[in-house]
Amino acid sequence: MRKISFQHIFLALFIFTTIASLTACETTTTKTIEVSDTELESVESPDGSAPGAKATDGAAVKTYTGLDIAGLHQADSVQILFFTDPFGKDSLRYTRFFKHYNTSAAEVVHPLLKNLDQLFLLRTEVMKCRSEGKVFFFKGTQELKTVYFNTQANGDCAYMYFIKDGGFYYFRIQPETAALLRKIKPQAVQPSAEN
């Protein structure tokens, strides 16, 4: 039979109290937030620093929209790419051929930004929909963000979305935005090699 020394008892007691206190700390200081990709993103944070943050002490509430998350408040121009055959048979490489439209006109830039200034659906995977094109947002010559779009009026694929930190941020495309993109499409030109 082994002798149990004072050191063994003290060590066992120390380990037991440490584990008990860590468990107590975990239950009072951590919080699990689950976000389904069928809900609008809303994350609670007492300091109001997280996207979609809500103050719990009656303080002002700041709701972050896609415009905030993408960092597009200072965007002043766009390059819009319209894929030549987005719904054709080539499901893997349909984005290779396109026409583009470049502008800094406020009547084009502002409605596109407005469409992103709303709550969003955050998904962990891309939707099984093809994009009709994409919009590169710029501030001067600095590219800020790429946003993909689909203007289809029917079905669940009418959206604008961008990718950030591995998440897919989806926004319902507004009828005015879809109409604007359809109006611009005939004015888009083929890319040409620059000297």
Side-chain angles (χ1 to χ4, degrees), residues 30-66:
T30 61
K31 181 172 156 185
T32 302
I33 300 171
E34 292 183 22
V35 178
S36 163
D37 55 28
T38 59
E39 299 174 0
L40 293 178
E41 172 71 358
S42 176
V43 179
E44 294 181 13
S45 174
D47 66 354
S49 61
K54 296 179 182 179
T56 56
D57 61 356
V61 175
K62 169 65 175 152
T63 302
Y64 287 79
T65 66

Side-chain angles (χ1 to χ4, degrees), residues 131-175:
S131 297
E132 286 183 57
K134 57 186 171 180
V135 181
F136 297 104
F137 286 92
F138 293 89
K139 176 187 175 190
T141 58
Q142 176 189 5
E143 184 180 340
L144 300 176
K145 196 66 162 163
T146 303
V147 178
Y148 302 85
F149 67 87
N150 185 323
T151 63
Q152 291 182 328
N154 53 356
D156 293 329
C157 289
Y159 60 78
M160 291 180 83
Y161 84 91
F162 62 82
I163 305 165
K164 182 170 181 176
D165 299 329
F168 298 86
Y169 292 79
Y170 280 88
F171 308 83
R172 274 272 160 225
I173 195 160
Q174 303 300 315

